[in-house]
Amino acid sequence: MSDVEQTATGDLPGIVVTGASGRMGQMLIRLILESDQARLVGALERTGHDWIGRDIGEAMGGQPAGVQVTDDAVSAIARAQAVIDFTAPAATLGFAELTAQARAVHVIGTTGFEDADLAQLAAAGRHAPIIRAGNMSLGVNLLVGLTRKVAAALGEDWDIEVVEAHHRHKVDAPSGTALMLGEAAAEGRGAALADLRTPAREGITGAREAGTIGFSAIRGGDVVGEHDVIFATEGERVVLRHLATDRAIFARGAIRAALWGQDKGPGEYDMADVLGLN
């Protein structure tokens, strides 16, 4: 690479990808390496992983990328302008502290947080931008907006059920996207999801309580992601649906979020902010 090319590349926002060996991590890395708007400056993996010390491009079965996989999150994040993080809640909380210290944008696709976890993320968000979403795709975020509007238009005699399907390896249920949709439905009804959510059904459950929001989860095969929001009443149903067939839509959305956040102040944002839907 020439000095001119190196200087031009150095002007681009540097992104660190966590969970580099995972399916989403590898997808993100490929897209960043192909991008003319960002550069890869770090690839993080857990201590003891057999990719540690290897060039990430070669570890992924391709050409050298000039970035070694590391477990040194402190050093990697210190030189980043953004961190894209699809890992697990405990790991994400640790990364959030480091991104806050580095004043880097933290794009979080991790799901399964508890209330206490969200409080820690809010604290980190007082120092740097955090963009968190259970789903990074344009289509899903449009679906969230539609769900909110339909729920507001229909009365409590319409039952709401969020049905989601994912691959067999997904460990949490309902999915983060399903919870986003449930929260939007509750907002449309002027309430919090915690007040309207009905427990998972098994056995003799009795009749459904009016006005509640339910969730059903399907796990199997290699399903990327399918979400239906069903509004059902006597004699009719309205079904809103989104089908994801390519995991790259989430990676592209996350990169877009990382770039969008470069001129934003500290705070908590979501994909609706990134897409100008709020």
Side-chain angles (χ1 to χ4, degrees):
M1 180 179 290
S2 71
D3 291 341
V4 172
E5 289 174 325
Q6 181 66 52
T7 300
T9 300
D11 291 338
L12 299 176
I15 298 179
V16 167
V17 174
T18 69
S21 71
R23 287 179 296 177
M24 183 58 68
Q26 292 190 52
M27 178 70 71
L28 284 162
I29 287 165
R30 288 192 182 95
L31 291 176
I32 293 168
L33 291 174
E34 294 169 1
S35 174
D36 59 2
Q37 296 181 294
R39 59 196 173 96
L40 184 71
V41 297
L44 286 171
E45 257 304 342
R46 65 186 183 277
T47 300
H49 194 281
D50 59 9
W51 283 19
I52 299 295
R54 297 178 62 189
D55 181 279
I56 184 61
E58 294 177 333
M60 289 168 48
Q63 296 298 313
V67 174
Q68 282 193 340
V69 182
T70 180
D71 59 358
D72 185 356
V74 174
S75 296
I77 292 174
R79 58 178 178 268
Q81 284 74 57
V83 175
I84 302 181
D85 178 16
F86 287 75
T87 52
T92 293
L93 294 177
F95 296 137
E97 291 185 15
L98 298 177
T99 54
Q101 293 169 13
R103 303 300 190 264
V105 178
H106 192 181
V107 178
I108 300 173
T110 305
T111 59
F113 292 107
E114 302 291 340
D115 288 344
D117 301 332
L118 297 178
Q120 285 188 245
L121 291 179
R126 291 195 286 270
H127 303 281
I130 289 180
I131 304 168
R132 184 176 66 88
N135 193 300
M136 300 282 177
S137 86
L138 172 60
V140 160
N141 283 279
L142 290 173
L143 178 61
V144 168
L146 289 171
T147 297
R148 186 179 295 110
K149 289 184 177 181
V150 174
L154 301 177
E156 290 190 359
D157 56 328
W158 289 75
D159 301 317
I160 302 177
E161 189 80 8
V162 182
V163 182
E164 54 101 342
H166 283 88
H167 51 87
R168 67 175 67 194
H169 303 290
K170 188 168 180 60
V171 298
D172 59 320
S175 69
T177 303
L179 292 172
M180 284 173 59
L181 294 166
E183 288 166 357
E187 289 169 8
R189 288 188 165 173
L193 178 58
D195 296 329
L196 299 182
R197 183 172 177 175
T198 186
R201 290 176 290 278
E202 182 176 352
I204 307 301
T205 62
R208 178 173 187 151
E209 183 178 347
T212 56
I213 299 172
F215 294 87
S216 300
I218 299 166
R219 297 288 177 266
D222 61 354
V223 178
V224 174
E226 301 178 1
H227 293 86
D228 290 343
V229 184
I230 302 171
F231 298 84
T233 191
E234 299 295 331
E236 58 182 330
R237 283 176 292 166
V238 174
V239 181
L240 305 178
R241 164 171 282 196
H242 179 269
L243 304 179
T245 58
D246 184 352
R247 191 166 280 103
I249 65 172
F250 312 125
R252 285 194 292 267
I255 295 169
R256 179 171 175 175
L259 297 174
W260 176 88
Q262 291 304 303
D263 61 353
K264 302 302 181 293
E268 294 185 275
Y269 305 91
D270 60 23
M271 282 302 291
D273 295 308
V274 175
L275 299 171
L277 299 176
N278 280 340

